[in-house]
Amino acid sequence: MPQRSLMLTLLSAAIVFGAWQIAGMIPVSYAFPTFLETMAALMRMILDGTLFVAFGETLKPLLVGIAISAALGIGLGLWIGLSGWFDWLFSPIFIVMQAAPLAALIPLLVMVYGIGLTSKVFVVCIMAMPVIVLNTSGAVRNTPSSLKEMGRSFLGSERDIVLKIILPAASPIIFSGLRLGVSAGFIGAVLAELKITPTGVGDIISYSRSIADYPSMYAAIFSIILLAVLFLNLLERLEDFLFEGNNRGYASDT
């Protein structure tokens, strides 16, 4: 089964990259390089160290923002899911944040916090946190009542019920929210570099576009997507490790 999954993954990648190569050779646009040209530019940036320096800048706001979003997001989501009053008070805020065009807030953040690290961390947080909060609160709220009643029947305290029943039962949806939040955080990090100050990967994208070096521009975009995919896979493996056997949904759902 794992071998079949690997083969399907490789086949999917071959189809996508092959289509990319053909589209670049046609070409569909003068600004659309082939896959091989893009990989050559990526390898060049790796060898001369440009990409590592860029990621060093990009990862600072990204990691700080994701850490803050995960800690506060899961905490607030738990509180919202456990308290009807807190749900009524705070859920609308995060629903509006998720639906609103948050990129429009970037000029306001720049006015308040300047063009440094703080503004970029805020951009990552406002992109990532609503998804994490809403998924966590929904998972906690929809924990089967039969599981909680069973815990109370065994004289479990509220703390025991939260830590030993609600959290493990809600873990699949919580980690799904984390993965979506991390994806949004990557978008926020690059968006902040493009809109606030051109640093890191955003600087490579902006500069390459300005001098029409499109292979380098696409290589930078490809590299940040690849890093996001690796990060999400790491989260999935962490979930499997922490909650082994509990990532297929609730027993009551079958």
Side-chain angles (χ1 to χ4, degrees):
M1 194 69 176
Q3 186 176 2
R4 180 173 178 270
S5 177
L6 177 61
M7 291 298 295
L8 289 174
T9 301
L10 293 175
L11 178 62
S12 175
I15 292 172
V16 171
F17 297 148
W20 181 353
Q21 179 70 19
I22 293 170
M25 292 171 65
I26 292 175
V28 295
S29 169
Y30 75 93
F32 191 81
T34 65
F35 173 71
L36 294 178
E37 290 173 341
T38 303
M39 291 302 100
L42 179 64
M43 187 59 63
R44 184 177 64 251
M45 288 191 291
I46 291 174
L47 293 176
D48 65 15
T50 302
L51 199 62
F52 296 110
V53 174
F55 273 119
E57 290 295 324
T58 300
L59 288 176
K60 291 176 186 176
L62 177 64
L63 294 178
V64 173
I66 287 176
I68 293 173
S69 298
L72 287 181
I74 292 176
L76 286 171
L78 284 172
W79 203 347
I80 289 171
L82 293 171
S83 169
W85 179 84
F86 209 70
D87 181 19
W88 175 84
L89 186 63
F90 285 99
S91 280
I93 297 174
F94 291 101
I95 292 172
V96 170
M97 285 179 67
Q98 189 177 30
L102 297 178
L105 295 177
I106 292 179
L108 179 61
L109 291 174
V110 172
M111 288 178 60
V112 176
Y113 297 105
I115 60 173
L117 180 64
T118 304
S119 293
K120 295 178 181 180
V121 170
F122 265 101
V123 172
V124 174
C125 288
I126 62 177
M127 293 290 288
M129 194 177 295
V131 183
I132 297 173
V133 170
L134 294 176
N135 275 270
T136 301
S137 63
V140 171
R141 194 183 302 116
N142 293 315
T143 301
S145 57
S146 58
L147 295 179
K148 293 183 280 188
E149 290 170 3
M150 180 189 66
R152 294 188 182 97
S153 69
F154 281 97
L155 303 179
S157 64
E158 286 301 317
R159 181 173 178 273
D160 289 333
I161 291 172
V162 171
L163 294 180
K164 298 179 180 179
I165 295 177
I166 293 178
L167 271 179
S171 64
I173 309 300
I174 292 175
F175 269 84
S176 294
L178 273 176
R179 288 195 291 270
L180 291 172
V182 168
S183 299
F186 272 89
I187 296 171
V190 176
L191 186 64
E193 291 184 335
L194 293 174
K195 296 291 185 180
I196 298 177
T197 49
T199 57
V201 176
D203 184 32
I204 296 177
I205 296 172
S206 298
Y207 179 72
S208 300
R209 181 182 57 189
S210 68
I211 63 172
D213 183 5
Y214 297 113
S216 294
M217 184 183 78
Y218 277 85
I221 297 170
F222 180 84
S223 68
I224 197 71
I225 293 173
L226 182 61
L227 181 63
V229 170
L230 293 175
F231 206 96
L232 293 176
N233 279 323
L234 181 63
L235 269 180
E236 189 173 354
R237 291 181 181 276
L238 178 62
E239 178 187 2
D240 291 338
F241 175 75
L242 292 177
F243 302 102
E244 185 177 1
N246 192 44
N247 55 357
R248 300 297 181 188
Y250 303 124
S252 60
D253 294 336
T254 57

